[in-house]
Amino acid sequence: WKLLAGLHGNAEKMIRVSLYTDQGSLDIRALLDTGNMLRDFATGDPVSVIGPETARKLPGMQLMQETSRLIPYRCVRGDSLMRVFRISRMCVHMDEDCWIEHPLLGIGETDYSGTEGGYEMILNPAVIME
């Protein structure tokens, strides 16, 4: 309930997130975007999106790309495909840390670090609500 209360009135909020793979970890800034409702059509799992540059920094990314797959998605520019993969776990640092086992990440078409506020991930709120 604390999480829902914290999200109330904050359609977009910056949060620190730690991504963990079998090869190491990466700390990034994420935009909690209540408009991100992307889900994997096969599993129904929510998908958080990172930019290509952030994906390159993720330890062991080359190995994870070998097991990744493509999912369809719709954006402003129309329909496209996004490469998705799972990492070991993720920690969303809020008032209380929220640990997510085997979250699904997608690699977006552009990097977000150059945007206002500078973030590296668009965090799907369903990840921390499920």
Side-chain angles (χ1 to χ4, degrees):
W1 291 111
K2 284 183 185 179
L3 172 64
L4 291 176
L7 290 178
H8 180 69
N10 290 317
E12 295 183 344
K13 181 179 181 180
M14 292 296 187
I15 299 175
R16 190 171 59 91
V17 174
S18 298
L19 306 174
Y20 295 87
T21 69
D22 292 340
Q23 277 69 43
S25 65
L26 179 65
D27 290 332
I28 61 173
R29 285 176 45 109
L31 174 69
L32 179 62
D33 182 2
T34 57
N36 176 7
M37 295 181 282
L38 181 62
R39 289 190 175 264
D40 177 5
F41 70 94
T43 65
D45 291 341
V47 178
S48 294
V49 182
I50 60 175
E53 184 62 32
T54 302
R56 283 190 283 279
K57 294 177 188 175
L58 194 60
M61 185 62 211
Q62 189 168 8
L63 293 173
M64 287 180 284
Q65 280 190 319
E66 293 172 8
T67 60
S68 68
R69 57 192 173 80
L70 296 172
I71 64 167
Y73 74 100
R74 179 166 289 146
C75 64
V76 176
R77 292 184 293 260
D79 295 339
S80 191
L81 295 173
M82 179 180 293
R83 185 160 302 283
V84 296
F85 59 96
R86 291 198 185 273
I87 59 173
S88 298
R89 59 189 177 145
M90 174 169 69
C91 183
V92 179
H93 305 284
M94 298 175 69
D95 291 337
E96 296 178 21
D97 286 348
C98 179
W99 288 92
I100 298 97
E101 296 295 319
H102 308 292
L104 196 57
L105 300 182
I107 302 174
E109 296 175 6
T110 61
D111 289 307
Y112 312 111
S113 57
T115 61
E116 185 177 327
Y119 53 91
E120 292 103 355
M121 170 190 272
I122 299 175
L123 183 64
N124 187 324
V127 169
I128 52 180
M129 291 183 189
E130 293 184 348

